[in-house]
Amino acid sequence: DSVQECAAWRLIQRLSLFDLRQVDDARFVLVRMPDYVVPLLERALRDENRYVRLHAAQCLERRTARNRAAHAGLAQAVLDPSIGGVAAAALGASGLASAGAPLVAGLRASTAHELQVACLSGLERLLVSPPLESSAAGAARLPQATWSAQLEQLYGLEALCQPRALGTDARTQADLPLDLRQAAAQCLLALDAVTRDQGHSVWSFLCDLA
């Protein structure tokens, strides 16, 4: 009702404060509030204050699958340079099949490696936690292999997630930022897209990082 919404808006307004304790307290409550707060957080993604946008996106990420009503706003926010990475993380946390499209769009549209890392990490999260498939007998989770194949068919993820494909000009794989190479490798493994010849080098690279 209006009283609950007013209380939620007061908390959202606190996200712009410089007092981080008040910001943390507001986020803590917003993450745990009932789902009526999700459309309000989605509106906050378009706030003129960058910190309100950023912290609202963080709240939606921490709500994980309970952020699904904000999907459209998060899909737009992926292309906002100030909050794109957090919006991508929130989409990956949503568990929605439709979250794949804006993550791929962000990966293709941006050369900022921070956003590319976030989009790859979001795609990896979708790959390892397939969405629920509704049926007459109730909701069942899609098999991981089926879900990986669907994402690959829709978006050509194997080619898109190759580390070399994320570079520009004559840059080699080794020239790319380490966190971007790691995110690409993890996404390829989650997609089960590495060939036998690639497998050794991908696993060796990740083991060396560990």
Side-chain angles (χ1 to χ4, degrees):
D1 59 22
S2 59
V3 174
Q4 291 175 318
E5 288 195 6
C6 285
W9 278 121
R10 283 196 293 271
L11 289 169
I12 290 172
Q13 288 172 350
R14 285 168 57 184
L15 298 177
S16 65
L17 300 177
F18 288 102
D19 184 341
L20 293 182
R21 169 164 285 189
Q22 291 199 56
V23 172
D24 286 343
D25 289 347
R27 283 186 303 198
F28 181 88
V29 177
L30 288 165
V31 168
R32 288 157 181 78
M33 290 181 78
D35 288 346
Y36 68 78
V37 77
V38 174
L40 307 183
L41 288 169
E42 183 182 21
R43 287 172 59 185
L45 296 174
R46 302 187 297 275
D47 194 273
E48 61 182 13
N49 186 293
R50 174 185 182 274
Y51 295 102
V52 171
R53 298 198 304 273
L54 177 65
H55 296 312
Q58 289 173 342
C59 290
L60 289 168
E61 178 193 359
R62 294 173 188 179
R63 291 181 69 89
T64 61
R66 295 180 300 127
N67 73 20
R68 295 180 174 188
H71 172 79
L74 288 169
Q76 292 181 346
V78 167
L79 300 179
D80 178 345
S82 65
I83 63 169
V86 183
L91 283 169
S94 72
L96 282 174
S98 55
L103 288 173
V104 170
L107 190 57
R108 286 177 170 153
S110 177
T111 57
H113 96 270
E114 294 89 352
L115 180 57
Q116 289 182 326
V117 169
C119 289
L120 285 169
S121 298
L123 286 167
E124 180 197 0
R125 193 165 181 177
L126 289 177
L127 284 162
V128 298
S129 299
L132 294 175
E133 181 180 42
S134 297
S135 67
R141 195 166 295 281
L142 279 172
Q144 198 275 344
T146 301
W147 176 226
S148 296
Q150 286 182 9
L151 287 181
E152 161 61 16
Q153 183 179 14
L154 286 171
Y155 307 119
L157 289 185
E158 181 176 357
L160 190 66
C161 296
Q162 291 288 348
R164 286 187 179 87
L166 299 167
T168 58
D169 303 324
R171 292 171 68 187
T172 65
Q173 178 176 342
D175 292 326
L176 295 172
L178 190 61
D179 55 351
L180 181 57
R181 294 169 58 200
Q182 177 181 352
Q186 291 176 180
C187 197
L188 285 170
L189 288 178
L191 184 63
D192 197 22
V194 292
T195 65
R196 182 174 299 176
D197 292 338
Q198 290 175 314
H200 176 73
S201 60
V202 170
W203 277 112
S204 295
F205 167 62
L206 291 175
C207 287
D208 286 345
L209 288 180

